[in-house]
Amino acid sequence: DSGVTQTPKHLITATGQRVTLRCSPRSGDLSVYWYQQSLDQGLQFLIQYYNGEERAKGNILERFSAQQFPDLHSELNLSSLELGDSALYFCASSVEGAYSPLHFGNGTRLTVT
Amino acid sequence: AQTVTQSQPEMSVQEAETVTLSCTYDTSESDYYLFWYKQPPSRQMILVIRQEAYKQQNATENRFSVNFQKAAKSFSLKISDSQLGDAAMYFCAYRSGDISNFGNEKLTFGTGTRLTIIP
């Protein structure tokens, strides 16, 4: 158990809809990262937050947004969903410092129909 | 931007044998960290091993070891005495340690190598 909690585990929704993915980081971790993994592909970095502030942005679509709340949990909002958004969305957390590994949650499997 | 390349989409090995997974990366930085993550069919991302670029000694974790060649920008993973539970996708990842990137500590992943263990 990595200590990172993601909900829900699975999400099935229709095109054009909006969903929210939730992540609770490990206790003590201030950084939260979101990654997208499409079928049988590598992990694509979406966005990073540190203690409530956005730190880095990857190839995140304008239809996607995220935030980190004062209690450090984070939410990833996906809107105007398209079939191509179907993927496994991972949240990871870490303490500050490049040596510290990222600890990943079990992911949210999003299926857009 | 840093890139990570895993040129072997699939590998297979007999149980109890040794297998080496390749990874190369491209960077102009001198300070960085390298990681191998394992993703079994459960889809969890599990840290296998990590290496600091400033350390010449190769990291080892039980049956897992790396061959880190900084000049060649190569970071291969060796799995000894392969077990059925080692079957998974293996991802190589890079993380900047450059002070100018402080706070931007994302991992950049390769595309992965699917490892099959043959009983």
Side-chain angles (χ1 to χ4, degrees):
Chain A
D1 183 10
S2 68
V4 179
T5 304
Q6 286 188 252
T7 56
K9 288 185 179 179
H10 302 279
L11 205 46
I12 301 173
T13 190
T15 54
Q17 295 299 304
R18 183 180 191 274
V19 297
T20 297
L21 282 54
R22 182 187 168 100
C23 170
S24 294
R26 284 192 330 159
S27 177
D29 288 356
L30 299 181
S31 282
V32 169
Y33 308 76
W34 286 97
Y35 282 84
Q36 178 193 55
Q37 185 180 30
S38 299
L39 186 64
D40 288 334
Q41 293 189 13
L43 281 75
Q44 299 298 317
F45 171 69
L46 295 178
I47 198 163
Q48 175 200 358
Y49 280 84
Y50 175 79
N51 202 21
E53 293 188 3
E54 182 184 307
R55 273 281 179 92
K57 225 171 188 178
N59 296 324
I60 187 168
L61 299 172
E62 285 191 12
R63 300 183 285 107
F64 296 0
S65 65
Q67 54 184 326
Q68 186 180 28
F69 295 86
D71 67 352
L72 300 178
H73 92 271
S74 178
E75 293 181 357
L76 179 67
N77 301 296
L78 315 176
S79 61
S80 302
L81 285 167
E82 302 174 0
L83 295 177
D85 297 328
S86 296
L88 189 56
Y89 290 85
F90 281 106
C91 169
S93 72
S94 76
V95 298
E96 198 166 36
Y99 178 71
S100 304
L102 270 61
H103 298 274
F104 285 81
N106 290 336
T108 293
R109 167 72 68 190
L110 173 66
T111 302
V112 183
T113 62
Chain B
Q2 294 80 25
T3 58
V4 178
T5 302
Q6 293 181 251
S7 59
Q8 305 156 314
E10 296 184 356
M11 293 278 287
S12 61
V13 63
Q14 290 282 147
E15 195 176 0
E17 296 296 309
T18 295
V19 64
T20 298
L21 308 183
S22 301
C23 172
T24 59
Y25 57 94
D26 187 23
T27 185
S28 59
E29 298 176 336
S30 58
D31 190 12
Y32 52 87
Y33 300 82
L34 299 165
F35 302 82
W36 279 97
Y37 277 83
K38 166 185 176 181
Q39 187 179 42
S42 66
R43 296 291 187 174
Q44 285 180 287
M45 291 292 290
I46 301 166
L47 177 67
V48 175
I49 199 165
R50 59 182 158 178
Q51 173 79 42
E52 302 94 315
Y54 62 84
K55 284 189 177 178
Q56 291 189 340
Q57 186 174 7
N58 290 322
T60 61
E61 288 286 344
N62 301 315
R63 297 182 297 106
F64 299 88
S65 61
V66 299
N67 184 5
F68 173 50
Q69 302 288 327
K70 190 171 184 178
K73 296 180 183 174
S74 170
F75 182 60
S76 60
L77 175 70
K78 185 170 86 170
I79 306 174
S80 304
D81 185 25
S82 297
Q83 301 176 359
L84 294 177
D86 295 334
M89 280 287 283
Y90 286 82
F91 292 98
C92 178
Y94 173 100
R95 196 179 200 189
S96 172
D98 196 308
I99 192 68
S100 67
N101 283 327
F102 184 76
N104 179 355
E105 295 156 347
K106 68 178 187 293
L107 283 178
T108 300
F109 286 89
T111 51
T113 297
R114 184 178 302 281
L115 178 65
T116 301
I117 311 297
I118 302 167

